[in-house]
Short mmCIF file of all heavy atoms in Angstrom, two decimals:
data_model
loop_
_atom_site.label_atom_id
_atom_site.label_comp_id
_atom_site.label_asym_id
_atom_site.label_seq_id
_atom_site.Cartn_x
_atom_site.Cartn_y
_atom_site.Cartn_z
N SER J 115 1.54 -10.98 4.57
CA SER J 115 1.76 -12.32 4.68
C SER J 115 3.10 -12.65 3.78
O SER J 115 3.57 -11.87 3.12
CB SER J 115 0.67 -13.06 3.97
OG SER J 115 0.49 -12.88 2.71
N SER J 116 3.49 -13.88 4.03
CA SER J 116 4.81 -14.23 3.45
C SER J 116 4.66 -15.01 2.09
O SER J 116 3.56 -15.53 1.80
CB SER J 116 5.58 -15.19 4.37
OG SER J 116 4.94 -16.24 4.56
N PRO J 117 5.53 -14.93 1.23
CA PRO J 117 5.39 -15.53 -0.18
C PRO J 117 5.65 -17.00 -0.08
O PRO J 117 6.53 -17.49 0.48
CB PRO J 117 6.62 -14.99 -0.96
CG PRO J 117 7.67 -14.50 0.04
CD PRO J 117 6.80 -14.21 1.32
N PRO J 118 4.77 -17.81 -0.54
CA PRO J 118 4.94 -19.30 -0.79
C PRO J 118 5.95 -19.40 -1.75
O PRO J 118 6.34 -18.63 -2.67
CB PRO J 118 3.56 -19.77 -1.14
CG PRO J 118 2.92 -18.61 -1.88
CD PRO J 118 3.38 -17.39 -1.17
N ALA J 119 6.52 -20.64 -1.77
CA ALA J 119 7.58 -20.90 -2.81
C ALA J 119 7.00 -20.97 -4.28
O ALA J 119 5.95 -21.49 -4.41
CB ALA J 119 8.23 -22.29 -2.45
N ALA J 120 7.66 -20.45 -5.17
CA ALA J 120 7.22 -20.52 -6.48
C ALA J 120 7.22 -21.89 -7.04
O ALA J 120 8.21 -22.68 -6.91
CB ALA J 120 8.14 -19.58 -7.36
N SER J 121 6.12 -22.25 -7.75
CA SER J 121 6.12 -23.47 -8.38
C SER J 121 5.16 -23.29 -9.50
O SER J 121 4.49 -22.35 -9.64
CB SER J 121 5.45 -24.51 -7.46
OG SER J 121 4.15 -24.29 -7.13
N PRO J 122 5.05 -24.40 -10.45
CA PRO J 122 4.16 -24.19 -11.64
C PRO J 122 2.64 -24.07 -11.22
O PRO J 122 1.85 -23.51 -12.03
CB PRO J 122 4.28 -25.55 -12.32
CG PRO J 122 5.71 -26.01 -11.89
CD PRO J 122 5.76 -25.47 -10.36
N SER J 123 2.25 -24.29 -9.98
CA SER J 123 0.84 -24.30 -9.62
C SER J 123 0.69 -23.26 -8.39
O SER J 123 -0.20 -23.24 -7.75
CB SER J 123 0.17 -25.60 -9.09
OG SER J 123 1.01 -26.11 -8.16
N ALA J 124 1.64 -22.35 -8.19
CA ALA J 124 1.53 -21.46 -7.07
C ALA J 124 1.71 -20.12 -7.58
O ALA J 124 2.11 -19.77 -8.69
CB ALA J 124 2.64 -21.78 -6.06
N VAL J 125 1.15 -19.15 -6.73
CA VAL J 125 1.32 -17.65 -7.00
C VAL J 125 2.35 -17.21 -6.01
O VAL J 125 2.40 -17.51 -4.86
CB VAL J 125 0.00 -16.99 -6.92
CG1 VAL J 125 -0.62 -17.08 -5.52
CG2 VAL J 125 0.25 -15.45 -7.21
N VAL J 126 3.22 -16.22 -6.51
CA VAL J 126 4.14 -15.58 -5.61
C VAL J 126 3.49 -14.29 -5.10
O VAL J 126 3.15 -13.47 -5.98
CB VAL J 126 5.46 -15.35 -6.27
CG1 VAL J 126 6.42 -14.56 -5.50
CG2 VAL J 126 6.05 -16.62 -6.80
N VAL J 127 3.25 -14.15 -3.87
CA VAL J 127 2.56 -13.03 -3.38
C VAL J 127 3.44 -12.03 -2.77
O VAL J 127 4.43 -12.32 -2.03
CB VAL J 127 1.53 -13.49 -2.28
CG1 VAL J 127 0.65 -12.42 -1.73
CG2 VAL J 127 0.74 -14.66 -2.83
N ALA J 128 3.23 -10.69 -3.10
CA ALA J 128 4.09 -9.64 -2.50
C ALA J 128 4.13 -9.74 -0.96
O ALA J 128 3.06 -10.01 -0.40
CB ALA J 128 3.53 -8.33 -2.89
N SER J 129 5.16 -9.63 -0.31
CA SER J 129 5.28 -9.80 1.04
C SER J 129 6.29 -8.81 1.68
O SER J 129 7.46 -8.60 1.19
CB SER J 129 5.84 -11.14 1.40
OG SER J 129 6.10 -11.32 2.79
N PRO J 130 5.73 -7.91 2.65
CA PRO J 130 6.74 -7.12 3.36
C PRO J 130 7.76 -7.78 4.00
O PRO J 130 8.79 -7.14 4.28
CB PRO J 130 5.74 -6.37 4.42
CG PRO J 130 4.56 -6.63 3.82
CD PRO J 130 4.38 -7.95 3.19
N THR J 131 7.53 -9.06 4.60
CA THR J 131 8.65 -9.62 5.36
C THR J 131 8.82 -11.05 4.62
O THR J 131 8.06 -11.46 3.90
CB THR J 131 8.19 -9.75 6.76
OG1 THR J 131 7.34 -10.90 6.84
CG2 THR J 131 7.81 -8.47 7.40
N SER J 132 9.96 -11.66 5.09
CA SER J 132 10.32 -13.04 4.70
C SER J 132 9.68 -13.92 5.71
O SER J 132 10.13 -15.18 5.71
CB SER J 132 11.73 -13.16 4.48
OG SER J 132 12.44 -12.91 5.67
N THR J 133 8.86 -13.60 6.56
CA THR J 133 8.39 -14.59 7.61
C THR J 133 7.25 -15.24 7.29
O THR J 133 6.48 -14.99 6.41
CB THR J 133 7.98 -13.65 8.96
OG1 THR J 133 6.86 -12.89 8.62
CG2 THR J 133 9.11 -12.76 9.29
N PRO J 134 7.00 -16.42 7.86
CA PRO J 134 5.88 -17.30 7.63
C PRO J 134 4.59 -16.46 8.18
O PRO J 134 4.72 -15.50 8.93
CB PRO J 134 6.09 -18.54 8.61
CG PRO J 134 7.51 -18.56 8.86
CD PRO J 134 7.94 -17.09 8.81
N VAL J 135 3.37 -16.94 7.65
CA VAL J 135 2.08 -16.25 8.06
C VAL J 135 1.94 -16.36 9.57
O VAL J 135 2.36 -17.45 10.21
CB VAL J 135 0.96 -16.86 7.36
CG1 VAL J 135 -0.34 -16.31 7.87
CG2 VAL J 135 1.25 -16.76 5.83
N ALA J 136 1.66 -15.26 10.15
CA ALA J 136 1.53 -15.32 11.63
C ALA J 136 0.26 -16.00 12.15
O ALA J 136 -0.71 -15.96 11.44
CB ALA J 136 1.51 -13.73 12.22
N THR J 137 0.31 -16.50 13.28
CA THR J 137 -0.81 -17.06 13.97
C THR J 137 -1.51 -16.09 14.96
O THR J 137 -2.64 -16.30 15.33
CB THR J 137 -0.49 -18.37 14.74
OG1 THR J 137 0.60 -18.06 15.62
CG2 THR J 137 -0.08 -19.44 13.84
N THR J 138 -0.69 -15.14 15.35
CA THR J 138 -1.31 -14.21 16.23
C THR J 138 -0.73 -12.71 15.73
O THR J 138 0.26 -12.61 15.37
CB THR J 138 -0.75 -14.35 17.58
OG1 THR J 138 -0.95 -15.64 18.11
CG2 THR J 138 -1.17 -13.27 18.60
N ILE J 139 -1.74 -11.85 15.58
CA ILE J 139 -1.35 -10.60 15.10
C ILE J 139 -0.38 -9.82 15.97
O ILE J 139 -0.27 -10.09 17.24
CB ILE J 139 -2.61 -9.63 14.78
CG1 ILE J 139 -3.37 -9.46 16.22
CG2 ILE J 139 -3.47 -10.07 13.74
CD1 ILE J 139 -4.61 -8.50 15.93
N ALA J 140 0.41 -8.99 15.41
CA ALA J 140 1.55 -8.30 16.25
C ALA J 140 0.89 -7.38 17.15
O ALA J 140 -0.27 -6.99 17.16
CB ALA J 140 2.43 -7.68 15.16
N PRO J 141 1.65 -6.90 18.10
CA PRO J 141 1.27 -5.79 19.02
C PRO J 141 0.58 -4.60 18.27
O PRO J 141 0.99 -4.24 17.22
CB PRO J 141 2.42 -5.30 19.82
CG PRO J 141 3.52 -6.49 19.62
CD PRO J 141 3.17 -7.10 18.30
N SER J 142 -0.42 -3.95 18.87
CA SER J 142 -1.16 -2.85 18.36
C SER J 142 -0.03 -1.80 18.22
O SER J 142 0.90 -1.67 18.93
CB SER J 142 -2.22 -2.36 19.12
OG SER J 142 -3.17 -3.45 19.16
N PRO J 143 -0.34 -0.83 17.32
CA PRO J 143 0.57 0.34 17.11
C PRO J 143 0.78 1.07 18.42
O PRO J 143 -0.21 1.20 19.25
CB PRO J 143 -0.15 1.18 16.13
CG PRO J 143 -1.04 0.31 15.48
CD PRO J 143 -1.45 -0.73 16.32
N THR J 144 2.00 1.38 18.74
CA THR J 144 2.39 2.05 20.05
C THR J 144 2.87 3.32 19.88
O THR J 144 3.32 3.72 18.81
CB THR J 144 3.47 1.19 20.63
OG1 THR J 144 4.65 1.16 19.84
CG2 THR J 144 3.08 -0.29 21.04
N PRO J 145 2.56 4.32 20.75
CA PRO J 145 3.00 5.53 20.79
C PRO J 145 4.59 5.61 20.88
O PRO J 145 5.22 4.54 21.28
CB PRO J 145 2.38 6.36 21.92
CG PRO J 145 2.08 5.21 22.91
CD PRO J 145 1.81 3.90 22.13
N SER J 146 5.13 6.79 20.72
CA SER J 146 6.58 6.91 20.78
C SER J 146 6.93 6.72 22.36
O SER J 146 6.15 6.88 23.26
CB SER J 146 7.03 8.29 20.52
OG SER J 146 6.76 8.57 19.19
N GLY J 147 8.22 6.04 22.51
CA GLY J 147 8.62 5.77 23.80
C GLY J 147 9.15 4.28 23.84
O GLY J 147 9.62 3.77 22.78
N ARG J 148 9.14 3.72 25.10
CA ARG J 148 9.77 2.36 25.27
C ARG J 148 8.78 1.26 24.89
O ARG J 148 7.64 1.31 25.37
CB ARG J 148 10.20 2.12 26.68
CG ARG J 148 11.18 0.96 26.80
CD ARG J 148 12.49 1.30 26.14
NE ARG J 148 13.52 0.15 26.44
CZ ARG J 148 14.56 0.01 25.73
NH1 ARG J 148 14.90 0.87 24.78
NH2 ARG J 148 15.36 -0.95 26.00
N HIS J 149 9.10 0.46 23.85
CA HIS J 149 8.16 -0.61 23.37
C HIS J 149 8.96 -1.92 23.78
O HIS J 149 10.07 -2.23 23.66
CB HIS J 149 8.01 -0.57 21.83
CG HIS J 149 7.43 -1.89 21.39
ND1 HIS J 149 6.16 -2.11 21.50
CD2 HIS J 149 7.93 -2.76 20.62
CE1 HIS J 149 5.83 -3.30 20.86
NE2 HIS J 149 6.95 -3.77 20.27
N VAL J 150 8.09 -2.90 24.33
CA VAL J 150 8.44 -4.18 24.77
C VAL J 150 7.70 -5.25 24.03
O VAL J 150 6.40 -5.25 24.09
CB VAL J 150 8.38 -4.45 26.30
CG1 VAL J 150 8.78 -5.83 26.65
CG2 VAL J 150 9.11 -3.38 27.13
#
């Protein structure tokens, strides 16, 4: 998930990306080859 903005009443959460929280999970892991 993405980190919310820091504030006196918020927690900064570790985030792999700087993106907002997704509404749909990303594509399932794919084998090597062409991915669309």
Side-chain angles (χ1 to χ4, degrees):
S115 66
S116 60
S121 71
S123 60
V125 60
V126 179
V127 182
S129 172
T131 73
S132 58
T133 67
V135 176
T137 56
T138 303
I139 57 176
S142 298
T144 57
S146 300
R148 196 68 176 166
H149 166 72
V150 180

